[in-house]
Amino acid sequence: SMARQRLFMLSSINLGSAWWGMDIGGFHSGTPSAENYYRWIQFGAFVPVFRVHGEFNQEREPWNYGALAEQIATKYIRMRYELIPYINNAAWENHLNGTPLVKPFVMVYPDDPLSRQYYDGFFFGNDIIVYPVVVESALQKQIYIPEGTWIDYFNGKKYYGPANYNYLLSNHD
């Protein structure tokens, strides 16, 4: 269910629903595994509406998924809070001219034919590219970087686009 949310989000945003959100942790899908939970939190920290939600009596608090999941969830919840000024600026831009906080690559690079092929990554604001990890036990992820020079937030490595990269995952990032 989490993997499908990327396409639902970008489709909704393309249709004008800029403040999209999802039920982080799943709503009808029972209890996620610890990894699925923290991957969902990581993804959710970079969507317009960040909320953890489930059906009646489903536990969705980070401490219910073990120490590692709680640690990772805490890191990304704090990251989201640190981004509030960035998000507020994007909200103001949305108010003024309708530009959404989250944008598919094709919205930012309409002349790049490869930008039309990718929906597993997206822009969060104008300066952050996000690729949620939606496969359990993933050790790497294929990513597309659009035109320009991009710096990895987690390790400082530079990526030059347009190009495809095999991104190695580490430390649950």
Side-chain angles (χ1 to χ4, degrees), residues 78-135:
R78 286 184 175 147
M79 187 181 294
R80 174 68 180 215
Y81 274 95
E82 290 170 3
L83 288 169
I84 286 177
Y86 182 81
I87 295 166
N88 286 344
N89 285 338
W92 183 246
E93 188 176 325
N94 175 257
H95 168 74
L96 292 177
N97 59 33
T99 303
L101 169 61
V102 168
K103 297 177 274 298
F105 290 142
V106 70
M107 192 178 280
V108 180
Y109 290 95
D111 296 329
D112 178 353
L114 292 177
S115 71
R116 295 181 201 112
Q117 298 176 17
Y118 297 95
Y119 68 87
D120 58 333
F122 52 86
F123 277 88
F124 185 73
N126 297 320
D127 304 309
I128 299 173
I129 296 174
V130 178
Y131 272 97
V133 177
V134 297
V135 176

Side-chain angles (χ1 to χ4, degrees), residues 18-153:
W19 293 100
W20 182 90
M22 63 182 160
D23 297 323
I24 296 171
F27 188 74
H28 293 294
S29 59
T31 302
S33 69
E35 182 182 356
N36 183 251
Y37 177 81
Y38 70 70
R39 292 295 188 193
W40 218 318
I41 292 285
Q42 290 172 319
F43 177 10
F46 296 97
V47 303
V49 178
F50 179 52
R51 69 179 183 142
V52 179
H53 189 57
E55 286 183 304
F56 183 69
N57 287 332
Q58 289 180 329
E59 302 294 335
R60 292 289 187 261
E61 296 86 5
W63 51 86
N64 289 315
Y65 296 91
L68 179 62
E70 183 177 359
Q71 174 187 352
I72 294 168
T74 299
K75 174 182 176 180
Y76 281 83
I77 291 167
R78 286 184 175 147
M79 187 181 294
R80 174 68 180 215
Y81 274 95
E82 290 170 3
L83 288 169
I84 286 177
Y86 182 81
I87 295 166
N88 286 344
N89 285 338
W92 183 246
E93 188 176 325
N94 175 257
H95 168 74
L96 292 177
N97 59 33
T99 303
L101 169 61
V102 168
K103 297 177 274 298
F105 290 142
V106 70
M107 192 178 280
V108 180
Y109 290 95
D111 296 329
D112 178 353
L114 292 177
S115 71
R116 295 181 201 112
Q117 298 176 17
Y118 297 95
Y119 68 87
D120 58 333
F122 52 86
F123 277 88
F124 185 73
N126 297 320
D127 304 309
I128 299 173
I129 296 174
V130 178
Y131 272 97
V133 177
V134 297
V135 176
E136 286 210 36
S137 303
L139 300 174
Q140 59 188 354
K141 185 167 182 63
Q142 294 297 313
I143 63 171
Y144 173 71
I145 299 297
E147 182 180 336
T149 302
W150 299 88
I151 300 170
D152 188 317
Y153 173 83

